[in-house]
Each structure stands twice: as structure tokens, then as C-alpha cells.
Amino acid sequence: MVLYGLKTCDTCRKALKSLAEARFVDVRGDGVPTDVLKRAHAQFGAALLNTRSTTWRGLNETERARPPLDLLADHPTLMKRPLIENGDQLMLGWGADVQAALGVV
């Protein structure tokens, strides 16, 4: 299991604490592999972009209009977090639905 997130993100830290066996990848330093990002975008669409983030608010309209995968490649902190890869399955966020699917109560 791989958890993609930010080491400074409280939600990512909570998820990692509950998923001690997960390998953590800091998207700011290491990024997200292109194939994983493409799969995540195909599955989650617009929900993959965190449009409430500080990074998003700092972008101008021209930047915001770019294709989502290009934006995420240039600004990995725009990704909603955490993105969890569990085998072939991808999960986004750390809501009750994701916790239940992973057997975390």
C-alpha cells in the first residue's frame, strides 16, 4: 500500500498513523508516478484537484484553465490528499468511506 500526500498535511498524518504498513510518498519532493496520476484522474476526475488549497488560490485564470494532469505535474500540492494506492485500487481522501474500505475504524 502506498499513501501519496504531504508530510505537513494533518489528514495525511492521521491516515499514515492508521495505516502503519503503508509506504509514504511526499508528493512535494517525490511527485506521483505518471501512470498512477492518470489512473487517479480517470477514476476521480475533477475531484482529484483540491480547488480549496492555497496553491490553487495562487494560480491565475490562465493557469487554472490548463489540463488537470499538466497542473498536477507542475504543482503536485494541488492534488487532494491522501491518494491511497492499495494494489489495483485507488482511494482519495480520508473520509469514513475510505476508512471503512480499508478496515480502519
Side-chain angles (χ1 to χ4, degrees):
M1 182 181 305
V2 182
L3 190 150
Y4 298 96
L6 291 172
K7 61 184 172 188
T8 57
C9 172
D10 289 339
T11 304
C12 293
R13 284 192 283 216
K14 289 176 193 173
L16 195 57
K17 186 176 180 180
S18 297
L19 303 170
E21 75 282 2
R23 181 172 61 90
F24 181 75
V25 175
D26 189 336
V27 300
R28 183 173 281 139
D30 302 321
V32 180
T34 305
D35 62 318
V36 173
L37 206 50
K38 286 180 181 179
R39 283 181 37 225
H41 184 258
Q43 183 174 340
F44 303 113
L48 189 59
L49 279 177
N50 182 0
T51 57
R52 297 184 318 179
S53 73
T54 305
T55 304
W56 178 262
R57 288 186 299 238
L59 297 177
N60 61 41
E61 289 303 316
T62 305
E63 279 284 304
R64 291 180 183 182
R66 292 177 57 209
L69 289 175
D70 292 347
L71 269 175
L72 289 167
D74 291 344
H75 306 282
T77 58
L78 278 175
M79 184 183 76
K80 181 171 170 128
R81 304 173 298 271
L83 175 64
I84 301 168
E85 183 180 29
N86 188 19
D88 291 338
Q89 188 178 31
L90 291 174
M91 294 169 230
L92 188 62
W94 190 240
D97 57 332
V98 172
Q99 293 176 42
L102 292 170
V104 179
V105 181

